[in-house]
Amino acid sequence: MAPVKRKGKFVAAHRKGARNGSNVQNRFATQRVLEADDNNLNGDAEDASHSSERDSEDESIIEEDGEAASKLNVYNALLQSLQQNVQNVEPQRKKRKLDQSKIAKAPSPKIEEPNGVDHNPLLEDEINASDDRIDAATAVDWNLDEEEDSSDPFEIHLGLHNEQDLSDRIQAINRRDWRVQKHESATGRIISSIPGPTTNTDAFHPRSQITNPKALKLKRRLIAPAQSILPDFDKLQREVIPYIFNYSDLLFAGRTVQNVASLRSMACLHALNHVFKTRDRVLKNNAKLAKTDEGDELELRDQGFTRPKVLFLLETRQACAKMVEVIMGLCEPEQQENKKRFQDTYIDKEEKFADDRPEDFRELFEGNADNDFRLGLKFTRKTVRYFSPFYTSDMILASPLGLRRIVDNEDPKKKEHDFLSSIEIIVVDQAEAMLQQNWEHVEFVFSNLNLQPREAHGCDFSRVRNWYLDGRATHLRQTIIFSAYNTPDLNNLFNTYMVNIAGKVKMQPEYDGSYLSINVPLKQTFSRIDAASPGTDPDTRFKYFSTAIVTSLTRHLPPADPTTGGAGILIFIPSYLDFVRVRNYFSNSSATQNISFASVSEYSSTAEVQRARARFLDGRHAVLLYTERAHHFRRYRIRGVKKVVFYGLPDNPVFYREIVEGFLSQTMAEGRADAADVGSRVVFSKWDALKLERIVGSKRVSSLLKEKEGDTFDFVS
């Protein structure tokens, strides 16, 4: 390091430093001579005389630099103390018990980030690393004295497996060899599938009813909070809980605003129970290894490649906040680090919508409806840390879009999916809302689960479970999906990615039919088309629409009237691709050149929507094209509708009732049309079976799909 000049004393200081250095070397040499003389008391007298002579020569130097020598001693002492501090930078081995009062008072690190902006969850930090050491040091406080229960589903599903039995089940899954059984329950139909050659599927259905949390294999610290929040299980929970806590895959297609609280509580309780048991097992085995002698070999397989074990896929930040609220109510932490930041960026208490909006709409879009987020949660003995880096998190809560923005990268070498390699439970809530977004994001997340990691990330491979090392983790992962209804996309996810050796269950209710809830006296006509395959369905549907439907619409188009408006024909189109095709047809076809039309889609601006609705109401536009996603996101109450044509049925049966009853009844209430002048017409094929069942009811759907005497059906409400 270059010396620093201080007020003209640079030369003198430099010279004195050189003399001091020489003096130190002389004293060091003299000391070596004295030590040698002690070992040889009969040494040569001439050498002694020469040594004395040399000492007398140095005496004047020592006297001259006496002051410098004393300063040098102080300086050397300071250097020694600093060197000791450097050597002590490495953390000392901690004792079993720490002064928790001192740990609790340690200030949390300040994170300088703007509200609403998530940090990079893949970055590590020193705070999280130190927490792991504290967890290990305080292992005795984690209820590690609880005995392992061989009947615990956690032990049965994730413990040691018979290698032959595990291989047989996985081979059966790969062959799509499932034993399927259907039966009715109080909540609807249950379809269960078990891999393997066994034909005894009755064992898969728990006959004993679990009525309260006492009957579950819960961690001790969760029992009291669970009994406080869920003292007794309701009818739905008694049906669903056995499958969830037995680690079976579940597709529940009956989620409603009324039962969502029950579903959240079950999912969060199971996730916390799994995280605590996993973490406690690791800490207990750490203690065993610490007591093991160096020569002893102890094989403990208790981990995955990375720490995150539970993934929640949620649609909005508000849904994430509600899930976190349930989690905190169950685990009851003494401290919640970064809670203020979480509340600022995830919770919005402003009421955005009036009470006349549908309850499912308000439940989805009320609060913070941002769908680009990801959050890591880390659980220590008494603390929960929000925004923990993914590789030190126990749970990850994210939207499909937010997670994909972290995982996906155009460069294959830079793709980051290692933190998803050891997910053992994934919970998908409000899947029906994700279907209205880009469903490809959901499929992308599932395709990146339980892949072999590219880097070690500090993994102790001697502790990794064998089925992780063998690439079989996807067959032991539990998938739980909550949706308001079932769709072909969800069925595809069920068949492709839900490949659990513990089996899988599909639960959906019996439907009375949403058309029965329409209280307006009108005729509802259902017309069936014959499409040979799902691939040919769009062309078959368009051909029928352009030849049969458009011809009947244009035959008697009434002129616009200032009082009653125009024809008032609303064409509801579920698919945006079909919407573009129909819009182009109305723009370019000679058959529709005399029909004025407007369109409202999810991509229409506010000005475009207002203009289209106004001109449709006063009759300047006879036809209005309207997409399902536009209704999903906006829930417009369109006036002036007299006829409704469903180019295809909506996935959400609530939409059918809102459009048929809501729009047409408003027109009659305003005196723009009589009951005889209003009505609806639906185009469907056998590939719309799931949608049709929710509209006409479970008992009638079969006759509409299989009736051979005719393809048109009229219902009068």
Side-chain angles (χ1 to χ4, degrees), residues 551-559 567 569:
T551 302
S552 64
L553 292 179
T554 58
R555 190 174 301 160
H556 302 289
L557 280 179
I569 301 171

Side-chain angles (χ1 to χ4, degrees), residues 268-552:
C268 292
L269 180 61
H270 177 54
L272 278 173
N273 193 48
H274 181 80
V275 166
F276 289 165
K277 286 183 178 180
T278 300
R279 192 67 181 147
D280 291 2
R281 173 63 53 82
V282 171
L283 294 178
K284 181 184 290 186
N285 288 340
N286 288 347
K288 289 182 180 179
L289 290 173
K291 297 178 181 179
T292 304
D293 296 334
E294 294 183 0
D296 298 338
E297 293 185 2
L298 186 61
E299 184 178 11
L300 299 173
R301 301 286 181 176
D302 55 5
Q303 300 178 17
F305 296 114
T306 54
R307 178 164 177 167
K309 292 294 178 288
V310 178
L311 172 64
F312 283 91
L313 274 188
L314 308 168
E315 179 58 20
T316 65
R317 287 180 182 252
Q318 188 69 15
C320 178
K322 292 179 180 178
M323 197 71 73
V324 169
E325 181 182 5
V326 177
I327 291 173
M328 296 305 151
L330 288 169
C331 70
E332 297 181 338
E334 293 186 6
Q335 298 181 62
Q336 299 181 42
E337 296 188 11
N338 299 327
K339 181 179 179 180
K340 179 64 166 56
R341 178 186 169 200
F342 171 76
Q343 291 175 335
D344 292 341
T345 56
Y346 278 75
I347 299 177
D348 184 358
K349 297 181 179 180
E350 180 183 359
E351 294 184 3
K352 300 179 180 179
F353 309 106
D355 294 339
D356 59 348
R357 287 298 186 98
E359 57 182 2
D360 64 317
F361 177 82
R362 284 185 281 114
E363 195 240 343
L364 176 60
F365 294 109
E366 194 70 76
N368 192 335
D370 178 30
N371 71 332
D372 183 4
F373 66 92
R374 53 256 163 203
L375 173 71
L377 288 182
K378 177 176 180 177
F379 297 86
T380 56
R381 188 173 66 90
K382 295 182 179 180
T383 304
V384 174
R385 173 174 288 113
Y386 300 86
F387 302 101
S388 60
F390 281 174
Y391 286 102
T392 57
S393 298
D394 297 294
M395 290 184 185
I396 297 174
L397 299 92
S399 64
L401 174 61
L403 205 57
R404 182 167 190 172
R405 286 164 61 90
I406 291 292
V407 176
D408 201 6
N409 195 298
E410 295 180 357
D411 186 355
K413 296 181 180 180
K414 295 183 180 180
K415 287 188 176 181
E416 181 60 69
H417 54 68
D418 290 359
F419 64 92
L420 299 175
S421 63
S422 302
I423 295 296
E424 294 172 352
I425 298 176
I426 177 172
V427 180
V428 182
D429 192 22
Q430 289 182 302
E432 76 282 356
M434 298 176 189
L435 287 163
Q436 298 293 342
Q437 294 283 358
N438 192 341
W439 183 250
E440 184 185 350
H441 295 333
V442 178
E443 295 177 332
F444 176 84
V445 171
F446 272 88
S447 67
N448 282 275
L449 293 176
N450 303 118
L451 301 179
Q452 293 291 318
R454 298 174 181 233
E455 300 179 11
H457 301 286
C459 173
D460 182 359
F461 289 94
S462 66
R463 301 276 295 273
V464 176
R465 300 181 191 272
N466 289 326
W467 39 266
Y468 273 113
L469 299 175
D470 296 337
R472 296 174 169 179
T474 184
H475 294 293
L476 287 100
R477 182 192 70 233
Q478 182 186 27
T479 303
I480 302 172
I481 300 178
F482 299 138
S483 177
Y485 43 80
N486 195 11
T487 69
D489 289 319
L490 284 175
N491 276 334
N492 181 60
L493 196 71
F494 183 83
N495 295 326
T496 305
Y497 294 106
M498 299 172 74
V499 289
N500 191 346
I501 62 169
K504 54 186 177 181
V505 179
K506 186 188 302 181
M507 304 179 68
Q508 62 186 56
E510 290 284 331
Y511 295 98
D512 295 329
S514 61
Y515 87 96
L516 292 176
S517 62
I518 295 176
N519 299 318
V520 180
L522 54 86
K523 184 172 72 172
Q524 304 171 58
T525 301
F526 290 76
S527 300
R528 187 183 66 211
I529 59 175
D530 295 325
S533 67
T536 61
D537 184 271
D539 292 335
T540 304
R541 191 179 301 269
F542 179 75
K543 182 178 179 180
Y544 180 84
F545 174 80
S546 59
T547 55
I549 302 295
V550 173
T551 302
S552 64

